[in-house]
Amino acid sequence: MQMNVVDLLQSNKLSQEVQVKGWVRTFRANRFIALNDGSTINNIQCVVDFLATDEDLLRRITTGAAVSIKGILAESQGKGQAVEIQVNSIEVLGDSNPEEYPIQPKKHSFEFLREHAHLRVRTNTFSAVMRVRSMLSFAVHKYFTENGFYNFHAPIVTGSDAEGAGEMFRVTTMPADSPSKNEDGSVDFSQDFFGKETNLTVSGQLEAETYAMALGKVYTFGPTFRAENSNTTRHLAEFWMIEPEVAFMDLNGNMELAEDFIKSVVGYVLENCKDDIEFLDQRLTKEESTKPMIERSEMTLIEKLKFVVDNNFKRVSYSEAIDILRNSKSNKKKKFKFPINEWGADLQSEHERFLVEKHFKCPVILFDYPAKIKAFYMRLNDDGKTVRAMDVLFPGIGEIAGGSQREERLDVLKEKMNALDIDEKELWWYLDLRKFGTAEHSGFGLGFERLVQFTTGMSNIRDVIPFPRTPQNAEF
Ligand code: 4AD
Ligand code: MG
């Protein structure tokens, strides 16, 4: 009977013949094959007694080769596994030349593996990360579906800049060297495929709002694109974003939803990806042990995940946060690259991480930011200078999610758009929501890769998405 490694390792089919297909991870003493098929971080040990006499076959059992093995499942004699296969026959399905195969059973740097992103998932670390990523994705859909949300597929090609930051990738079918031109020399987008200027979406929020105002509770979970030239360990040009949007919910409800949602999906992975999380926990502990003492994390990965699930996130207003930062030793001793001098300053990741890692030592939700540093759609507070914004800040990550209560008052929204020079004609449909049955509503966006980073303890965002897209890099 053909079985997966994950099932074989837990099976009670002792003394029965089984078949398994997978890739050779290591081959020792011309006798022991560690076989992996991707179904689990664990290999199954296959013991072969006839290889010494079959030189042809012996040469073909190499790291990376695909094989089909038939044999008897037996209690293992060796340490480290409960069962093993006593092999009766091996068929090599696909050879792997050991001279050329880049993924050898030794430690490779993450930089090297990024250059071999098509093969890196055959390593323990990347297979564990990608299984956890998959389970997290399932947990996201499970959470929302069980809580009465409908999944809404936002368009990927859009005509609007939801964040107003102008960091978009243009979508066009016009020839790059000779686009249609107007008389004044500017590009004539009316001749383009969609008859207007279009881009890849930076966020599905504006469209999600339209659906929330009919279906009540919706969420998007899809790819988003940002042409920001940030070469950091937390930015991708193509990333996946989860955006819930809820009618009749204010900012407090939004903060509760974000906290409950994050706890739920992290808890799901802790419960359902034990082997992978344990492996990643040990990996991180090893990595940390190479760092100087003061830079080491006080908690292991599993402790960090449990901490998030078991503790309340701290809610702090932007104004309180500015006071804390301004009066902090780090600020006074000029340790921040961007010193905090006055109310209104935009927070950089160094400030976010100071609040979370040094000051509060727990996840923090900052709210009520200055209107000037946030997007046009956020609801203006009665003070006239702050908006009902929130950012969820996480240790090691900084901002993991950002959202707000939306401006539902037509006149206030129009005023804001005019002040920011946003064309009312382009967002006529968005304004319609405020004309027909407008209501309080809120939502947020959570960067899926930042969530995977936190959950797996990987320090570079390029290592938690199969094929990262970053400035100057779109290989594979
Ligand atoms: O804070 P952002 O820009 O918010 C929005 O786009 C809102 N429209 C969301 C909403 O309210 N529905 O992005 C949301 C999250 C960030 O908190 C961050 O986790 C992630 O998306 N993010 C990125 N992740 C990876 N690479 C990038 N370049 C990212 N930019 C934002
Ligand atoms: Mg943000």
Side-chain angles (χ1 to χ4, degrees):
M1 184 162 108
Q2 191 179 325
M3 289 176 74
N4 289 335
V5 173
V6 68
D7 297 328
L8 277 171
L9 291 174
Q10 298 162 13
S11 125
N12 51 10
K13 293 197 167 28
L14 286 180
S15 312
Q16 297 185 25
E17 184 170 88
V18 293
Q19 182 182 15
V20 60
K21 293 179 182 175
W23 295 270
V24 175
R25 277 292 172 82
T26 58
F27 181 39
R28 259 187 321 115
N30 285 352
R31 235 186 126 212
F32 302 102
I33 298 173
L35 193 74
N36 191 282
D37 68 353
S39 60
T40 158
I41 185 95
N42 299 307
N43 303 324
I44 187 149
Q45 169 157 285
C46 306
V47 188
V48 209
D49 285 321
F50 54 84
L51 272 178
T53 55
D54 189 342
E55 274 183 31
D56 225 23
L57 189 56
L58 182 66
R59 246 184 294 114
R60 298 178 67 198
I61 308 296
T62 57
T63 296
V67 295
S68 169
I69 284 179
K70 282 186 188 153
I72 305 293
L73 194 67
E75 249 173 79
S76 179
Q77 310 298 313
K79 274 199 300 203
Q81 67 269 326
V83 294
E84 62 188 25
I85 296 176
Q86 284 160 0
V87 180
N88 292 331
S89 68
I90 306 180
E91 187 190 346
V92 177
L93 304 172
D95 291 279
S96 173
N97 183 344
E99 243 88 279
E100 291 174 27
Y101 185 53
I103 311 293
Q104 290 303 317
K106 61 165 197 174
K107 198 170 160 46
H108 296 290
S109 73
F110 287 148
E111 290 77 13
F112 173 85
L113 290 171
R114 259 170 240 147
E115 286 163 13
H116 298 84
H118 59 309
L119 298 173
R120 66 177 178 172
V121 68
R122 299 185 187 194
T123 64
N124 281 334
T125 299
F126 283 90
S127 68
V129 167
M130 294 309 162
R131 273 188 299 269
V132 170
R133 181 182 166 110
S134 169
M135 291 295 262
L136 265 176
S137 163
F138 174 70
V140 168
H141 290 295
K142 179 171 146 62
Y143 176 87
F144 286 121
T145 304
E146 288 177 357
N147 284 283
F149 284 72
Y150 295 106
N151 186 196
F152 157 74
H153 295 130
I156 290 173
V157 176
T158 68
S160 50
D161 179 2
E163 290 303 299
E167 292 166 330
M168 296 182 296
F169 291 100
R170 179 167 299 156
V171 175
T172 178
T173 53
M174 291 197 289
D177 53 356
S178 56
S180 305
K181 295 268 177 74
N182 294 311
E183 272 172 16
D184 64 1
S186 60
V187 175
D188 180 6
F189 287 105
S190 70
Q191 301 303 310
D192 206 349
F193 187 91
F194 295 107
K196 62 184 289 194
E197 190 176 350
T198 51
N199 298 289
L200 294 178
T201 185
V202 295
S203 158
Q205 176 199 322
L206 303 191
E207 289 90 352
E209 280 185 54
T210 67
Y211 266 60
M213 296 309 282
L215 298 181
K217 299 206 263 185
V218 298
Y219 72 102
T220 71
F221 184 1
T224 44
F225 306 85
R226 300 214 177 160
E228 51 188 336
N229 203 356
S230 343
N231 258 306
T232 78
T233 55
R234 311 173 318 123
H235 287 90
L236 290 165
E238 175 181 291
F239 63 100
W240 287 64
M241 190 161 28
I242 298 150
E243 297 183 272
E245 193 68 36
V246 183
F248 312 114
M249 184 175 79
D250 66 6
L251 188 71
N252 283 322
N254 207 18
M255 291 197 261
E256 265 161 48
L257 175 65
E259 180 168 346
D260 190 54
F261 164 68
I262 295 173
K263 285 179 169 172
S264 164
V265 295
V266 171
Y268 183 85
V269 163
L270 263 176
E271 205 40 52
N272 293 281
C273 304
K274 287 208 167 88
D275 289 349
D276 287 323
I277 294 291
E278 263 164 39
F279 173 85
L280 293 166
D281 179 89
Q282 285 161 20
R283 187 207 73 78
L284 187 63
T285 303
K286 260 185 242 153
E287 187 182 274
E288 290 280 310
S289 70
T290 65
K291 292 184 185 165
M293 263 309 196
I294 44 158
E295 281 175 32
R296 286 184 205 173
S297 162
E298 286 163 26
M299 287 190 234
T300 67
L301 176 63
I302 293 177
E303 285 167 350
K304 272 190 243 177
L305 301 184
K306 287 196 172 142
F307 186 87
V308 162
V309 173
D310 295 338
N311 288 282
N312 292 335
F313 296 5
K314 180 92 187 155
R315 296 183 194 179
V316 186
S317 74
Y318 166 90
S319 300
E320 286 172 73
I322 283 292
D323 281 342
I324 293 167
L325 288 166
R326 195 164 31 193
N327 297 319
S328 68
K329 274 196 194 138
S330 298
N331 201 46
K332 288 183 175 152
K333 289 189 176 164
K334 308 223 175 334
K335 291 256 170 71
F336 289 138
K337 203 170 145 213
F338 298 89
I340 296 284
N341 297 317
E342 59 198 54
W343 192 94
D346 203 354
L347 299 185
Q348 306 295 328
S349 120
E350 57 176 347
H351 308 126
E352 298 172 343
R353 293 185 57 174
F354 173 86
L355 291 168
V356 173
E357 290 161 27
K358 301 257 159 47
H359 190 82
F360 290 110
K361 295 186 190 294
C362 71
V364 172
I365 309 184
L366 289 190
F367 61 92
D368 283 353
Y369 280 76
K372 280 213 175 87
I373 58 171
K374 288 291 183 188
F376 73 95
Y377 50 70
M378 298 190 181
R379 192 182 199 280
L380 192 65
N381 278 315
D382 292 342
D383 63 12
K385 58 176 195 173
T386 60
V387 286
R388 301 248 76 190
M390 66 172 210
D391 275 1
V392 183
L393 311 181
F394 257 48
I397 305 285
E399 179 190 334
I400 196 165
S404 69
Q405 186 171 328
R406 318 305 187 189
E407 184 54 77
E408 85 284 12
R409 297 162 296 186
L410 183 63
D411 51 338
V412 184
L413 184 60
K414 275 187 168 174
E415 228 172 87
K416 189 74 166 288
M417 286 170 62
N418 287 338
L420 291 171
D421 236 1
I422 301 172
D423 193 353
E424 279 182 31
K425 278 197 222 98
E426 274 197 8
L427 287 179
W428 63 273
W429 51 273
Y430 188 69
L431 290 168
D432 263 6
L433 297 180
R434 279 76 185 164
K435 286 187 200 157
F436 309 120
T438 193
E440 176 175 87
H441 63 288
S442 306
F444 63 85
L446 178 134
F448 185 55
E449 283 73 23
R450 293 194 187 171
L451 177 68
V452 182
Q453 259 190 293
F454 175 74
T455 315
T456 57
M458 298 296 282
S459 52
N460 195 319
I461 198 164
R462 293 169 174 83
D463 297 332
V464 299
I465 186 165
F467 298 104
R469 269 76 178 103
T470 49
Q472 299 297 313
N473 171 36
E475 193 65 50
F476 307 102

